[in-house]
Amino acid sequence: MISLDLESPFAPRQAIILYQNENKYYLESHTIYFDQDNKSFLSEGKPLQKETIMQIAKQFSTDNQLKFTCKQLLPNNLIYVDTQYGNSTFVWFLKPQRNPLFFTSNLAIPNGQAFCPGLVFVAKNKTLSVFAFRGDIVNLRTKLYIAPFHNIYKDGKVCLGNAKIENVEGEYENVLTQWQKIFFGSEFSNLLVNSSPTKTNINLLWKDLISNGAKFPVEELLPHPIKTIKQLIETL
């Protein structure tokens, strides 16, 4: 929200009227004039130009806009970034690697390090989504699979539970790292879909992988309704 000095006088200068017809909208601008008796009246309406709308949006988002910087080359695992007008969207990937995993006691899965498949993360404002991919080569045609974890909805969005999400900002690499810490530092607790996100029982799978240290079996991954990274970016 823009900070205003309410002790200073404000005078109306322009009125914007919104017209709606089902899912279509039209904005009209009216200049406000005052006569000799200080009575106000509106001028004839004019279509509000796109450039004016963009300037208004930019002005009102200035104070809320998170600060992001990139002082060096873009991180080589960053796929897509958009930080316009106070909103932020980052899409990046992690190649298959060992990660710390934590589980609530009711799952009877020991905490520990385990190999995870390749993962694609989407951090949009204060939400996080995760998808999986096979292999270690990533491009727009890379096929997406359901992330093999608890706490993830059907669309890929992560239920972060009691995790406190502050404004994640700073250098691009730090933003990605902070979100990964939030994800891998949270306890996996329950399934948010009707069946296992893997071909076999997800609880038994992670229990075995933590105990034997084996690579994640990518044949366990199930195709995601969002088929490719290209399609994922188009939905943002």
Side-chain angles (χ1 to χ4, degrees), residues 114-134:
F115 275 101
C116 297
L119 300 175
V120 173
F121 292 87
V122 180
K124 189 168 185 178
N125 296 325
K126 291 187 177 182
T127 66
L128 182 69
S129 301
V130 182
F131 308 85
F133 65 92
R134 293 184 176 186

Side-chain angles (χ1 to χ4, degrees), residues 23 159 193 200 224:
N23 294 325
C159 175
V193 291
T200 60
H224 197 280

Side-chain angles (χ1 to χ4, degrees), residues 28-193:
E28 195 171 73
S29 175
H30 299 259
T31 301
I32 300 175
Y33 292 104
F34 294 86
D35 61 17
Q36 293 180 348
D37 298 324
N38 205 33
K39 292 182 179 180
S40 62
F41 62 95
L42 300 180
S43 68
E44 181 180 349
K46 296 180 180 179
L48 194 64
Q49 299 297 314
K50 180 179 179 180
E51 291 75 13
T52 304
I53 298 173
M54 297 294 285
Q55 289 175 1
I56 294 172
K58 185 175 182 179
Q59 179 66 29
F60 275 88
S61 69
T62 300
D63 284 5
N64 283 332
Q65 187 167 358
L66 298 177
K67 303 300 187 293
F68 300 100
T69 58
C70 185
K71 296 181 179 179
Q72 303 178 25
L73 294 176
L74 289 173
N76 57 15
N77 62 331
L78 183 63
I79 301 172
Y80 173 89
V81 61
D82 182 1
T83 60
Q84 296 187 71
Y85 303 130
N87 294 316
S88 64
T89 303
F90 290 84
V91 182
W92 74 99
F93 69 91
L94 283 182
K95 291 186 176 182
Q97 58 183 266
R98 288 171 63 93
N99 290 292
L101 301 177
F102 302 94
F103 303 89
T104 53
S105 58
N106 64 294
L107 295 178
I109 305 173
N111 298 331
Q113 295 272 339
F115 275 101
C116 297
L119 300 175
V120 173
F121 292 87
V122 180
K124 189 168 185 178
N125 296 325
K126 291 187 177 182
T127 66
L128 182 69
S129 301
V130 182
F131 308 85
F133 65 92
R134 293 184 176 186
D136 56 7
I137 297 176
V138 176
N139 54 48
L140 290 177
R141 298 186 301 275
T142 297
K143 293 182 179 180
L144 295 177
Y145 296 83
I146 297 172
F149 302 101
H150 302 74
N151 300 9
I152 297 181
Y153 292 99
K154 186 176 181 180
D155 62 357
K157 189 170 293 185
V158 179
C159 175
L160 296 170
N162 295 327
K164 189 175 181 180
I165 309 301
E166 303 289 351
N167 288 333
V168 180
E169 57 185 3
E171 295 184 25
Y172 285 3
E173 287 187 347
N174 291 338
V175 171
L176 311 190
T177 301
Q178 288 178 67
W179 275 113
Q180 288 165 201
K181 286 182 178 178
I182 291 172
F183 179 71
F184 289 114
S186 301
E187 282 188 324
F188 295 111
S189 57
N190 54 73
L191 294 178
L192 303 179
V193 291

Side-chain angles (χ1 to χ4, degrees), residues 20-32:
Q20 180 180 359
N21 180 6
E22 295 182 351
N23 294 325
K24 296 181 180 179
Y25 298 89
Y26 167 70
L27 290 171
E28 195 171 73
S29 175
H30 299 259
T31 301
I32 300 175

Side-chain angles (χ1 to χ4, degrees), residues 99 101 103 109-110 113-117 147-150 188 197-198 201-212 214 216:
N99 290 292
L101 301 177
F103 303 89
I109 305 173
Q113 295 272 339
F115 275 101
C116 297
F149 302 101
H150 302 74
F188 295 111
T198 51
N201 185 288
I202 185 66
N203 292 0
L204 296 178
L205 177 61
W206 281 121
K207 190 172 183 179
D208 289 343
L209 290 174
I210 289 174
S211 65
N212 61 31
F216 188 92

